[in-house]
Amino acid sequence: MHDKLKDVETAEQLRACYPVMKELRPHLQTEEEFVTRVTRMNEQGYRILAAWEDGEVVALAGYRVEENLVYGKFLYVDDLVAGEKTRGQGWGARLLEHLTVYAEQAACAKLVLDTGMANALAQRFYFRQGLLTGAMRFGKFLKAGAA
């Protein structure tokens, strides 16, 4: 099934990702908003790796390679979701495997992602994939920011 994983490179492919991304990010109101935001994020290194079945996106991972003083060079997974219809079929694990290989090839020291404190199902999945908790993230919303 690895041959069904491919990086999203065109606007048409990006539009095909919207229904699955909306399951994870329901605040995204329109396909156009999604395309505009991802296009802007691409300039900051954001990419989407999508899993395709019968011409349809069934799972995806949004990611970027970054560097900071805490980890050095690392791969950050912004988004990881399998569509409702294909959840439990191993797509999340395959996406993480692929991103792990990519991160190693890019000489990253670490693969990092965040999940909600109350998201026990995701936490169990990440532990099974070999990811460990290492920090607690704090944040606050700012008046000028948009979700």
Side-chain angles (χ1 to χ4, degrees):
M1 284 201 191
H2 284 287
D3 59 327
K4 295 184 181 181
L5 297 180
K6 62 183 178 183
D7 285 309
V8 171
E9 297 176 351
T10 68
E12 181 181 342
Q13 291 171 338
L14 187 54
R15 289 183 198 293
C17 292
Y18 176 70
V20 173
M21 183 66 85
K22 185 153 175 68
E23 291 184 36
L24 180 66
R25 309 286 182 220
H27 62 274
L28 294 170
Q29 295 299 308
T30 66
E31 184 180 277
E32 201 52 49
E33 175 194 4
F34 170 67
V35 170
T36 299
R37 289 178 68 172
V38 170
T39 301
R40 188 172 56 241
M41 291 164 57
N42 286 158
E43 296 170 11
Q44 303 162 11
Y46 179 83
R47 299 289 176 259
I48 293 178
L49 177 66
W52 297 78
E53 272 186 355
D54 301 321
E56 184 179 336
V57 174
V58 296
L60 60 82
Y63 67 96
R64 62 184 85 218
V65 173
E66 296 185 353
E67 186 170 359
N68 66 21
L69 296 175
V70 177
Y71 306 128
K73 190 175 179 185
F74 66 101
L75 187 139
Y76 183 76
V77 181
D78 292 66
D79 315 290
L80 180 65
V81 60
E84 182 84 37
K85 293 183 273 184
T86 58
R87 210 159 285 149
Q89 294 181 10
W91 284 115
R94 285 191 274 282
L95 287 162
L96 279 177
E97 280 176 29
H98 188 90
L99 291 178
T100 297
V101 170
Y102 176 77
E104 289 170 344
Q105 291 171 345
C108 291
K110 197 166 191 170
L111 182 143
V112 178
L113 59 77
D114 294 326
T115 192
M117 297 288 284
N119 195 346
L121 286 175
Q123 292 167 22
R124 284 201 309 262
F125 169 74
Y126 297 137
F127 282 127
R128 284 195 313 270
Q129 301 309 309
L131 282 78
L132 303 173
T133 55
M136 183 181 296
R137 175 169 284 178
F138 291 89
K140 66 180 177 179
F141 290 100
L142 305 175
K143 291 176 189 167

